[in-house]
Amino acid sequence: MTAFLTKSLGVVCPSCDFLNVVGAVRCMSCGAATDGSAAKTDQSPKLVPQPAQSLREGPDKTAPMAQAPQKPPEAPPGLRRSGPHAVPDLASAPVAPSSGRGVPARPSFQSSATPPPQQTPGPRFGLTVLAGPARGQRFRLGATGAQLGRSRGVILFPEDPFVSPLHATLSVRDGKLFVRDEGSVSGLYASIAGQETVPPGGLFSTGLRLFRYVGAIEPAPAWNRVDVLVYGAPVPNGVVHYAIEEVLLGDRPGRCIITPGPVLTIGQGRCDFSFPSDEGLAPRHCEVAPLPTGAMIRDLSGGLGTFVRIAEERALKAGDRIRVGQQTLQVELLS
């Protein structure tokens, strides 16, 4: 029975209790005889397996010539050293804070395919020519505006000799339209809404006429000589008068009116300045009220418009009109 078990089962070493294969004569671990006969006579050194911990302790510290290796500096949490560089160590990295249910909070990511929020496009502006050689033409302004002139810009009036090569610039900023004179010779004019103040020497236009507000004329010194006879209509002594003159082609002065009255009128008939043949004028087109620092111009044309020359950038809105040379253009808000 014993022989049968020895030939059928594995052999246990009597020295180290290692289970060997069936029929093994010597132990596969320590080399001792499996029958125990050579356990006392066998003086061969036994191979004792070292604990796994000793493999991580480095060389033997008791060796006379061995030098203890320098301990590398500790890497910060979440980093593992591999050669000269530090790489992330996911096993020792800090754990994300818990969501309160025992499960770490999962980071949320926004898909790159998410379309950006759509921005509402700003208003689009256009210009319609109401009067002049280009009457009836319509222009659509770009998103940032446009320049107009006789030979430079997007909007051109090549047949108008009163338009400068680069006359004006229209700019769109923050949903609003602005116009600026680019140093033109004949000037840039904008319609007034109700009334507006002009300084002394300021220009304004009604119909096909151009006027200049001269301003106050100081009273002349007293005339005490009795041997000189004065003809005409001299200015009374001690009274301040105001003057308005018409400007003709070539910046030549035309008719001039001097009045001490509080209001001076311009129109087709029965006004201080009357032009019956000008179809662009209303019967009573506008009133000019002198002020100490200028004059207040009040539009009474009923839609025909009174225009003042602008020297600085001016904001425009839908329905406003500008004059460039012989062209009268109206601002429109496009859909």
Side-chain angles (χ1 to χ4, degrees):
M1 182 67 181
T2 303
F4 174 77
L5 295 175
T6 305
K7 294 180 181 180
S8 302
L9 300 176
V11 181
V12 178
C13 177
S15 298
C16 63
D17 295 335
F18 183 79
L19 180 61
N20 296 276
V21 297
V22 178
V25 179
R26 288 185 175 277
C27 178
M28 300 174 62
S29 176
C30 63
T34 57
D35 57 358
S37 60
K40 298 181 180 180
T41 61
D42 189 4
Q43 301 298 328
S44 60
K46 298 181 180 180
L47 298 177
V48 180
Q50 299 293 330
Q53 184 179 0
S54 64
L55 298 178
R56 296 194 296 266
E57 292 179 356
D60 188 5
K61 298 181 181 180
T62 62
M65 299 302 293
Q67 184 179 0
Q70 297 181 358
K71 186 178 180 181
E74 296 184 358
L79 294 180
R80 176 174 55 84
R81 289 192 174 274
S82 177
H85 304 286
V87 296
D89 189 357
L90 301 180
S92 61
V95 181
S98 176
S99 60
R101 300 181 180 179
V103 181
R106 300 174 60 184
S108 60
F109 300 92
Q110 184 177 4
S111 174
S112 60
T114 303
Q118 297 183 357
Q119 297 182 357
T120 304
R124 303 298 298 269
F125 296 94
L127 295 176
T128 300
V129 183
L130 301 180
R135 180 179 179 179
Q137 294 189 17
R138 302 185 68 183
F139 304 94
R140 179 187 296 269
L141 301 182
T144 58
Q147 289 184 324
L148 52 86
R150 190 173 69 248
S151 59
R152 295 170 53 189
V154 179
I155 303 175
L156 301 178
F157 301 103
E159 299 180 356
D160 193 339
F162 297 96
V163 177
S164 298
L166 178 60
H167 202 101
T169 298
L170 295 161
S171 305
V172 179
R173 298 192 305 271
D174 299 330
K176 297 181 180 180
L177 180 62
F178 299 87
V179 64
R180 181 181 68 251
D181 189 0
E182 296 294 349
S184 61
V185 177
S186 60
L188 177 67
Y189 295 81
S191 60
I192 65 176
Q195 59 185 18
E196 189 166 332
T197 304
V198 296
L203 297 172
F204 62 97
S205 175
T206 58
L208 300 177
R209 311 291 171 173
L210 181 62
F211 301 93
R212 177 185 289 113
Y213 176 70
V214 178
I217 299 178
E218 298 297 332
W223 187 265
N224 298 322
R225 297 183 59 178
V226 295
D227 56 343
V228 177
L229 182 61
V230 179
Y231 294 90
V235 178
N237 295 334
V239 179
V240 178
H241 284 65
Y242 301 91
I244 296 178
E245 65 178 3
E246 182 184 6
V247 181
L248 303 179
L249 183 64
D251 200 20
R252 295 178 295 116
R255 294 170 54 187
C256 180
I257 291 181
I258 300 176
T259 176
V263 175
L264 187 145
T265 58
I266 300 175
Q268 275 192 339
R270 296 184 180 181
C271 297
D272 297 311
F273 263 125
S274 297
F275 303 93
S277 60
D278 192 339
E279 298 179 356
L281 289 177
R284 190 180 180 91
H285 199 98
C286 67
E287 293 179 349
V288 182
L291 299 174
T293 58
M296 179 69 70
I297 300 178
R298 181 183 177 191
D299 181 35
L300 303 174
S301 63
L304 295 177
T306 300
F307 301 80
V308 295
R309 183 169 183 172
I310 58 177
E312 299 178 353
E313 191 175 58
R314 185 185 182 100
L316 301 176
K317 62 182 183 300
D320 289 347
R321 282 168 284 177
I322 58 175
R323 279 191 171 180
V324 179
Q326 296 177 325
Q327 322 297 321
T328 301
L329 302 96
Q330 180 170 302
V331 179
E332 294 182 349
L333 188 60
L334 305 179
S335 57

